[in-house]
Amino acid sequence: MHDPVLLARIIGGAGFVAALDQSGGSTPTALTNYGISAHDYSGEEEMFALIHQMRSRLITAPSFDGRKILGAILFEKTMEGEVDGTPVPDLLRQRGIVPFVKIDKGLEDENDGVRLMKPIRGLETLLGRAKAKGVFGTKMRSLINEASSGAIGAIVDQQFDIANRILDKGLMPIVEPEVNLKSKSRAECDAILLGALTKALDKQPIGRRVMLKLSMPAAPDLFAPLVGHPSCARVLALSGGYSQEEACDELAKNHALVASFSRALLQDLRAGMDDEDFDRVLAEAIERIYRASTVKTANNPA
């Protein structure tokens, strides 16, 4: 069973979910954007040590707390790590932030316009460790590049098959079938995905809710009907390569979605900043994303 206090916060709380789950493939880019080049480290061990330092600085900054941040998605190594002797999930909960962990192991090669998830070997063991560490839920990502009803249906089926295994362990799954924003058939992909997700949610037994993390649709508010579905706990929006300004502008058009941004949250933070400047820039980003998640236009209130 889910912690009822954390579940209520995730379902009805104001704020957004910070995505701090860059994996081995995306970590070099994240470090480069932070001002640490590939010449500054040697090998994966040093690379992951540096990204842990960045994440530690982020989650201990005064502005990074539960007043405007609902949750944070962690990379597996970060979930296992500590900050000044405190396990990262414990530290997040102390700051009022609900911890999640990324569990997918990357994507298969493209087939029929989509990229399914690779097999998640050791899933049960990973879920057991996450539960023991007080993690509330998980996140797993697939990718949709072209409009194919059968292939998009296969992505949703795979996501929900694993989501139900996660629910069996008492964790909340975040299902992320990302639509590539550069897809030439993006609007059609969105429409097919909406239908497939609706069918999958309809099949869920009463009380077995999932969260969704979706690309912001070409047609604003297309995904709004999913928010009220009894099998959907919350619908998050990913930034998908948008800049912070662009992502917030797009999010403000989608009145039922709240942010779960990574690059758009971190884009202006640099390793060379002193702590005061670091927290000031972070606080400005948090405020901007929070407002886009919670404060909508007068013509279309949230």
Side-chain angles (χ1 to χ4, degrees), residues 5 11 16-17 27 29 33 51 65-66 68 86 99 102 107 117 130 150 182 200 215 220 230 242 260-261 264 297 302:
V5 175
I11 292 174
F16 67 95
V17 175
T27 293
T29 299
N33 293 340
I51 199 74
D65 62 29
K68 295 179 180 177
T86 301
K102 166 188 161 70
L107 303 176
M117 291 182 289
K182 297 180 180 179
S215 305
Y242 282 132
S260 180
F261 294 170
T297 65

Side-chain angles (χ1 to χ4, degrees), residues 160 164 167-168 199-210 229-232:
F160 272 76
N164 279 304
L167 286 167
D168 288 342
K199 289 179 182 178
L201 290 170
D202 287 344
K203 292 178 182 178
Q204 287 292 99
I206 293 173
R208 288 177 72 84
R209 287 181 286 194
V210 305
H229 197 288
S231 294
C232 182

Side-chain angles (χ1 to χ4, degrees), residues 13-16 234 251 257-258 289-296 302:
F16 67 95
R234 200 80 188 239
L251 181 58
L257 277 57
V258 300
I289 296 168
Y290 175 83
R291 288 185 61 81
S293 295
T294 60
V295 182
K296 309 297 183 173

Side-chain angles (χ1 to χ4, degrees), residues 38-283:
H39 300 295
D40 296 323
Y41 56 87
S42 176
E44 277 200 350
E45 186 174 346
E46 290 185 13
M47 178 184 76
F48 283 123
L50 288 168
I51 199 74
H52 184 69
Q53 289 174 18
M54 183 192 82
R55 290 167 177 154
S56 299
R57 189 181 190 190
L58 183 77
I59 63 179
T60 56
S63 59
F64 196 88
D65 62 29
R67 289 172 295 179
K68 295 179 180 177
I69 300 173
L70 286 172
I73 304 170
L74 305 173
F75 183 49
E76 184 180 345
K77 284 182 176 290
T78 308
M79 177 189 77
E80 302 282 6
E82 297 182 350
V83 178
D84 295 332
T86 301
V88 172
D90 290 350
L91 179 60
L92 288 172
R93 290 196 308 274
Q94 290 169 13
R95 297 178 72 84
I97 297 169
V98 181
F100 294 81
V101 63
K102 166 188 161 70
I103 62 166
D104 67 82
K105 303 301 182 182
L107 303 176
E108 300 279 16
D109 292 338
E110 183 171 328
N111 182 32
D112 199 14
V114 306
R115 298 185 66 185
L116 292 163
M117 291 182 289
K118 291 180 178 179
I120 306 176
R121 305 196 189 284
L123 175 62
E124 306 301 323
T125 300
L126 173 56
L127 296 178
R129 292 204 319 271
K131 186 74 173 177
K133 289 182 174 294
V135 170
F136 178 75
T138 66
K139 191 214 78 166
M140 49 190 175
R141 171 182 173 267
S142 311
L143 183 63
I144 299 167
N145 289 318
E146 296 179 14
S148 168
S149 295
I152 292 174
I155 271 191
V156 172
D157 287 346
Q158 184 191 44
Q159 285 272 356
F160 272 76
D161 284 346
I162 299 174
N164 279 304
R165 292 169 63 185
I166 293 163
L167 286 167
D168 288 342
K169 292 294 186 180
L171 295 165
M172 171 65 73
I174 299 176
V175 169
E176 184 185 3
E178 177 181 353
V179 172
N180 188 340
L181 297 182
K182 297 180 180 179
S183 171
K184 294 180 181 179
S185 55
R186 176 183 166 198
E188 190 178 354
C189 291
D190 292 339
I192 295 170
L193 179 60
L194 173 61
L197 288 171
T198 301
K199 289 179 182 178
L201 290 170
D202 287 344
K203 292 178 182 178
Q204 287 292 99
I206 293 173
R208 288 177 72 84
R209 287 181 286 194
V210 305
M211 295 171 66
L212 304 175
K213 181 170 176 177
L214 307 174
S215 305
M216 286 175 278
D221 280 339
L222 179 74
F223 295 134
L226 298 172
V227 175
H229 197 288
S231 294
C232 182
R234 200 80 188 239
V235 183
L236 311 176
L238 60 97
S239 53
Y242 282 132
S243 69
Q244 185 182 110
E245 181 178 4
E246 292 168 333
C248 288
D249 286 347
E250 290 297 313
L251 181 58
K253 300 173 186 176
N254 287 276
H255 301 86
L257 277 57
V258 300
S260 180
F261 294 170
S262 177
R263 281 171 291 180
L265 170 64
L266 307 176
Q267 69 174 30
D268 296 320
L269 298 174
R270 299 292 180 270
M273 290 176 169
D274 62 30
D275 289 345
E276 183 177 350
D277 280 347
F278 184 92
D279 188 58
R280 175 184 57 78
V281 172
L282 176 60

